[in-house]
Amino acid sequence: MSRVTPYVIGPLRGILHMVVARWPAQGPGLPSGAESFKKNLDMSAGATLLHIAPKVSPPLDPDFRPIALAYRRFCEAASGTARSQPMLLALEQPGGLIFHHRVRVFPPDDTRSEANILFLERVVKTLLWSRGGWRLHVNGPKWLVTQLLEHYRETVEGRFDDETVARRMFDHPLEIVPTDQVPPERTWSVRLGRHWEGCRIGFDLGGSDRKVAAVVHGQVVFSDETPWDPCTRADPQYHFEGIMDMLQSAAKRLPRVDAIGGSAAGVYVQNRVKVASLFRSIPPDVFASRVRDLFYEIQEAWGGVPLVVMNDGEVAALAGSMMLERSAVLGLAMGTSLAGGWVNPDGNLTSWINELAFVPVDLQPQAPQDEWSQDRGVGAQYFSQQAVGRLLVPAGIDLPTDLSLPDKLHQVQALLAEGDPRARQVFETIGVYLGYQLAYLAEFYPVEHVLLLGRVTSGTSGQVLLEQARHVLQLEFPTLAARLSLHLPGERFKRHGQAIAAASLPEIPPDVHRSVA
């Protein structure tokens, strides 16, 4: 059978619809309405398969059920079943880039088949948020494709993934294409950064602070950070003025400005803002008219100097690769949210989006809910200031409710430095989360080195995270532990390393020197 008409998830009168008729449902079905199918697995064979208690329990989260263990057990059980069915998933980006992922699932008459759809949906979500794309080619059981489509049509979580990844990042509605002729894999990578000639400014925009560095021929002559609150501001002039202010402060330390490089939370394509939590409070019409080309406006204000802006996770990975002088580096920046970046085994950046804040972590039914996507058990709630904030109550740490998350983090890290066992449990819990999640990510990335950055890793807290993550890997995943190196840079690099690495992004044309007063 050749490729058939795709299912297209699209808006119509406030809901989602699929173009062309669906196959009739076969196998275990989905609950009606917007009720998530995940809630029906509590007392079932699927729960036994997917809800696995870890050997290392997070001190403050005894109900944690890591997706890493579920993925491993599901794959082993399905592969050991005589009539299990193969599935090939191929996610497509513009330009014909294709990324493959293979799994096996249970036949519909197997009692464990009710776990198929949850497993498949979590895997597809991982692919959407790690690779990115808008068309999913599926070679596998048609009844599972039907259930997958129901998820993207009927659930808040599915609609968020469609709207945010497919539409906003890649300018297409999500298509799911059932086919037995999956297109071949086709990837792209490029070597960026590592340009140190001239006088450069690098910046890093986070959700609670903005950092800047001035660099002359590879030597850092100035670095600074300033608190700000971009995520709640509806006027983009606030963002513009904040960025301009820090660039001007760095320019005062330089004889001239030859180039500007930026690291920022969100997805950026050719310096255009596609999706970014930094601008989440700005109305869509204002986003389109002002924010989308904000960095072109900034570049014009600086006389047209070369300017490159990239996702903060990508820059974190680039910073780690440069610091370690190694490739196959996964960078994780734990700050306001979680940013991920990937330098492949060839030392290059890829077209993958690496938005690991939305990649699944925890399969417990009452896992913490992400306020933006409304999904439960995803990275932002486990590896960020948000994680620290939600663990205060089980830790028995009472802080003023009006404190911001950065201030709460600072207070807990101060308690840790004083030897408070409650604070230590907070970071031990996050460290356990980290160990299990690294094992899951290793199923999707051929990773050899992990670099931990961000405010959550500052001071003693970073060492506690590292110790617990290594303990988990050694106990549960010894083969992976033997080949995976975890790294914590020095304090200055942890806080300002992304800004410094970002300065190296733009390439300066030969014999061209621009200056800005």
Side-chain angles (χ1 to χ4, degrees):
M1 182 179 69
S2 61
R3 173 177 155 179
V4 299
T5 305
Y7 293 104
V8 181
I9 311 298
L12 179 63
R13 289 192 290 275
I15 62 172
L16 295 178
H17 76 291
M18 293 177 290
V19 179
V20 310
R22 301 192 278 115
W23 284 302
Q26 302 174 39
L30 292 166
S32 60
E35 184 73 11
S36 172
F37 51 76
K38 290 180 282 185
K39 296 178 182 177
N40 279 358
L41 280 174
D42 290 351
M43 304 299 295
S44 66
T48 302
L49 194 64
L50 298 179
H51 297 169
I52 306 168
K55 291 180 182 178
V56 183
S57 181
L60 302 177
D61 191 356
D63 295 326
F64 175 59
R65 296 295 180 264
I67 192 171
L69 297 181
Y71 186 92
R72 180 170 67 181
R73 178 175 289 181
F74 187 100
C75 291
E76 290 174 350
S79 296
T81 300
R83 293 186 300 106
S84 65
Q85 298 171 279
M87 292 194 76
L88 174 56
L89 308 171
L91 188 60
E92 181 176 345
Q93 288 183 351
L97 301 179
I98 304 284
F99 315 112
H100 286 183
H101 192 80
R102 289 175 170 82
V103 295
R104 299 190 73 88
V105 296
F106 297 101
D109 58 352
D110 191 303
T111 58
R112 297 166 294 179
S113 65
E114 59 193 4
N116 281 341
I117 184 58
L118 174 55
F119 173 81
L120 179 61
E121 182 274 326
R122 294 287 89 177
V123 169
V124 171
K125 185 180 184 77
T126 302
L127 293 174
L128 283 172
W129 288 101
S130 62
R131 272 62 167 163
W134 63 278
R135 178 183 286 145
L136 180 67
H137 306 264
V138 183
N139 186 355
K142 294 178 179 179
W143 55 272
L144 268 179
V145 179
T146 298
Q147 292 184 339
L148 190 63
L149 283 160
E150 290 282 349
H151 170 72
Y152 289 105
R153 185 183 70 173
E154 299 291 346
T155 70
V156 172
E157 305 98 315
R159 292 195 294 265
F160 178 85
D161 292 349
D162 169 37
E163 174 65 27
T164 309
V165 178
R167 296 171 186 274
R168 296 185 64 185
M169 294 184 194
F170 294 99
D171 301 315
H172 291 276
L174 180 63
E175 290 186 11
I176 298 180
V177 183
T179 180
D180 60 4
Q181 296 182 6
V182 172
E185 195 161 38
R186 180 168 175 259
T187 62
W188 172 91
S189 67
V190 64
R191 195 167 185 85
L192 291 177
R194 300 179 173 89
H195 303 293
W196 294 114
E197 71 284 359
C199 301
R200 299 168 170 269
I201 298 175
F203 64 85
D204 176 32
L205 304 179
S208 58
D209 54 50
R210 43 186 169 83
K211 304 178 182 75
V212 69
V215 181
V216 178
H217 299 303
Q219 299 298 312
V220 180
V221 298
F222 170 77
S223 65
D224 191 26
E225 64 182 280
T226 305
W228 74 334
D229 185 26
C231 301
T232 64
R233 301 302 182 104
D235 184 356
Q237 189 63 22
Y238 172 85
H239 303 74
F240 177 81
E241 291 177 356
I243 297 169
M244 289 294 291
D245 177 72
M246 68 178 183
L247 296 178
Q248 289 161 356
S249 69
K252 292 176 183 177
R253 276 77 178 182
L254 296 173
R256 64 179 187 273
V257 176
D258 295 322
I260 299 171
S263 161
V267 177
Y268 303 85
V269 177
Q270 296 180 340
N271 293 344
R272 282 193 167 87
V273 186
K274 302 294 285 185
V275 180
S277 59
L278 300 176
F279 308 104
R280 62 191 293 181
S281 296
I282 295 174
D285 58 332
V286 180
F287 183 95
S289 64
R290 180 80 190 278
V291 174
R292 193 179 306 278
D293 289 335
L294 182 68
F295 291 104
Y296 286 97
E297 182 181 351
I298 289 170
Q299 183 178 30
E300 183 178 353
W302 284 85
V305 299
L307 185 148
V308 175
V309 178
M310 293 189 65
N311 169 266
D312 53 348
E314 299 298 332
V315 179
L318 176 63
S321 179
M322 290 191 297
M323 183 193 79
L324 300 171
E325 298 183 342
R326 295 289 187 273
S327 298
V329 176
L330 184 66
L332 300 176
M334 303 183 193
T336 305
S337 184
L338 170 67
W342 171 240
V343 173
N344 72 11
D346 297 323
N348 296 339
L349 297 175
T350 73
S351 65
W352 296 0
I353 63 172
N354 306 303
E355 287 291 329
L356 303 184
F358 298 102
V359 168
V361 177
D362 184 3
L363 293 185
Q364 63 168 304
Q366 298 306 314
Q369 188 173 41
D370 176 62
E371 63 177 359
W372 193 11
S373 68
Q374 300 300 301
D375 205 349
R376 292 186 179 275
V378 297
Q381 286 291 321
Y382 293 77
F383 309 108
S384 68
Q385 296 171 18
Q386 299 171 63
V388 174
R390 75 173 176 83
L391 292 172
L392 294 180
V393 171
I397 299 174
D398 186 18
L399 295 177
T401 56
D402 60 349
L403 274 184
S404 67
L405 284 174
D407 288 337
K408 288 178 180 177
L409 172 63
H410 179 75
Q411 293 286 338
V412 178
Q413 288 176 327
L415 290 173
L416 178 66
E418 295 169 3
D420 191 314
R422 302 171 303 167
R424 185 175 183 87
Q425 284 192 319
V426 170
F427 295 104
E428 285 178 344
T429 296
I430 297 174
V432 172
Y433 294 154
L434 178 63
Y436 284 102
Q437 191 63 2
L438 291 177
Y440 181 61
L441 293 174
E443 301 287 351
F444 297 84
Y445 292 84
V447 58
E448 297 176 8
H449 300 273
V450 176
L451 181 74
L452 303 179
L453 296 168
R455 190 183 288 263
V456 175
T457 69
S458 294
T460 311
S461 58
Q463 290 297 331
V464 176
L465 294 178
L466 210 61
E467 290 168 8
Q468 288 300 306
R470 284 173 173 158
H471 176 56
V472 168
L473 290 169
Q474 289 164 1
L475 186 64
E476 292 264 35
F477 310 96
T479 302
L480 176 62
R483 66 173 174 82
L484 187 63
S485 298
L486 310 186
H487 305 271
L488 272 175
E491 283 301 314
R492 187 185 187 195
F493 193 94
K494 270 194 277 188
R495 296 180 72 94
H496 297 163
Q498 286 166 254
I500 295 167
S504 77
L505 289 173
E507 185 173 3
I508 301 172
D511 303 320
V512 173
H513 296 287
R514 298 178 175 88
S515 63
V516 177

